Amino acid sequence: MKKIMMWTFLLAIFGCSNANLESTKISLEEIEEMFSDMEANGVYTDTTLLWGYFFTSNKKDDFEKVANELKNKGFEFVDIFQADDKSYWLHLERKEVHNAKSLYELDEELYEIAGKYKITYDGFDVGNVDENRPLERDTYVVPEEFKTVDHQKDNFPCLLVGNTAFDRFPHKEEFCHFIKVTTPYNMDEESMLPVQGELDELDKFELFFENNLTQKNIKNYFVFRDTHKGIRNFYIVTNDKVGAKEVIDNLSQSGEQRPFEFEISTDKEWSLYNAFKGKI
């Protein structure tokens, strides 16, 4: 498995009895989750990719028969190797396009073939058709890797939530304009955090902002927010400062949303994000 930046789904179920093999099969839901994860990372899943398939056994006597049967279905032999636990592995591959449903259906076929030869089908991996290159992806897609921390500030709880996936975002210099939106909320007098139901309204308000920018073709990403003593601040980054200001000015003048203030600052060093990371 020499592919760079690949997705792998190996069950490592060798040694399971036939009685519980059914329960260890890769489910459609797990495959759908894998595709969602790939797409969230900007991987072009609807293109031809190099899919690898793995079989395992405590002996390799029937591997040649399996490889020959699957060769007739377009699979190519890659390798037979022995793992540290002395089990043997057969690696085949095929260049093809898959979605979750088609991969699940192929898995079902491979489980059946493995059962016929009393070996185990153990999963798959996927990479670029050029094994020396990583999976191609849209580097402007930022996966969601949210982290949350609750700390004390001025003797009151302060909630921080943000997307730490920007550590790997290669376009920070372009997206250097931080929009800070500030809105008050109805708070609990003791904790000064939002009362029941208010958190949902605040989340809807943030989504409203993002959607309005997107609808006006203003590229934007939610970065992080803090909630403290009756005030919610959330930060969105964009590469279009002028366009974003125009959209938000119109939202402010419409009076259709909860009261808010905003400011846009240029932060090429992403110091605001780095300060947030330091707190979590």
Side-chain angles (χ1 to χ4, degrees):
M1 291 180 282
K2 299 179 180 178
K3 305 182 189 71
I4 306 169
M5 187 188 170
M6 65 181 180
W7 259 255
T8 304
F9 203 126
L10 297 180
L11 287 179
I13 59 175
F14 176 66
C16 296
S17 67
N18 290 334
N20 64 14
L21 179 60
E22 189 71 27
S23 65
T24 58
K25 284 184 177 181
I26 304 170
S27 68
L28 176 59
E29 290 75 17
E30 289 172 314
I31 295 177
E32 288 174 337
E33 183 178 351
M34 186 201 74
F35 271 85
S36 295
D37 184 38
M38 291 171 66
E39 290 163 4
N41 280 273
V43 175
Y44 301 110
T45 59
D46 57 350
T47 59
T48 300
L49 299 173
L50 182 62
W51 292 86
Y53 304 94
F54 297 86
F55 300 82
T56 184
S57 177
N58 61 353
K59 55 183 180 179
K60 56 182 178 179
D61 298 357
D62 293 317
F63 279 173
E64 184 177 352
K65 296 176 184 177
V66 175
N68 286 337
E69 178 168 339
L70 289 174
K71 181 179 180 181
N72 295 329
K73 298 177 181 291
F75 289 80
E76 295 183 5
F77 174 82
V78 179
D79 191 18
I80 293 175
F81 59 93
Q82 190 171 25
D84 292 339
D85 64 358
K86 305 304 181 182
S87 61
Y88 289 96
W89 290 76
L90 168 65
H91 180 191
L92 305 175
E93 64 187 16
R94 191 166 68 176
K95 297 175 183 178
E96 53 195 343
V97 180
H98 272 305
N99 55 38
K101 185 174 183 295
S102 68
L103 183 57
Y104 174 75
E105 291 173 348
L106 176 59
D107 270 3
E108 289 294 294
E109 181 181 349
L110 296 180
Y111 283 122
E112 184 176 341
I113 291 173
K116 182 170 67 173
Y117 293 100
K118 301 187 185 310
I119 64 174
T120 298
Y121 170 61
D122 206 66
F124 52 80
D125 69 13
V126 59
N128 197 311
V129 292
D130 181 348
E131 296 189 43
N132 296 312
R133 300 186 60 185
L135 280 167
E136 293 184 4
R137 57 183 293 266
D138 181 355
T139 58
Y140 282 91
V141 172
V142 179
E144 295 183 348
E145 297 177 3
F146 286 99
K147 291 188 178 179
T148 304
V149 66
D150 177 356
H151 70 99
Q152 292 292 310
K153 179 180 178 182
D154 302 329
N155 296 318
F156 289 97
C158 178
L159 303 181
L160 290 174
V161 180
N163 188 2
T164 58
F166 286 101
D167 287 348
R168 305 187 303 276
F169 186 54
H171 306 290
K172 291 188 179 73
E173 185 174 349
E174 176 186 348
F175 284 80
C176 62
H177 307 297
F178 280 75
I179 306 167
K180 176 184 178 182
V181 181
T182 302
T183 185
Y185 57 78
N186 297 322
M187 62 182 179
D188 174 81
E189 293 298 328
E190 184 175 346
S191 67
M192 293 194 177
L193 293 176
V195 297
Q196 186 174 6
E198 186 74 335
L199 280 173
D200 286 340
E201 293 302 316
L202 290 168
D203 290 345
K204 290 177 183 177
F205 182 56
E206 290 178 8
L207 187 59
F208 168 80
F209 252 83
E210 295 175 63
N211 287 342
N212 270 272
L213 290 168
T214 300
Q215 288 168 6
K216 298 297 182 180
N217 296 318
I218 308 297
K219 293 182 179 179
N220 67 95
Y221 302 97
F222 171 85
V223 183
F224 69 93
R225 67 173 177 242
D226 60 71
T227 306
H228 176 65
K229 289 180 67 174
I231 296 295
R232 161 70 64 87
N233 298 304
F234 63 91
Y235 295 80
I236 300 172
V237 70
T238 182
N239 62 349
D240 187 350
K241 181 178 182 179
V242 175
K245 184 178 185 305
E246 182 179 346
V247 170
I248 301 174
D249 278 336
N250 290 335
L251 293 177
S252 179
Q253 293 167 11
S254 71
E256 296 177 357
Q257 279 294 320
R258 62 191 301 140
F260 70 89
E261 297 179 352
F262 80 96
E263 60 180 284
I264 304 179
S265 59
T266 300
D267 182 8
K268 293 186 177 182
E269 301 300 321
W270 276 57
S271 57
L272 290 169
Y273 172 77
N274 292 330
F276 157 73
K277 283 293 299 296
K279 292 175 183 176
I280 64 170

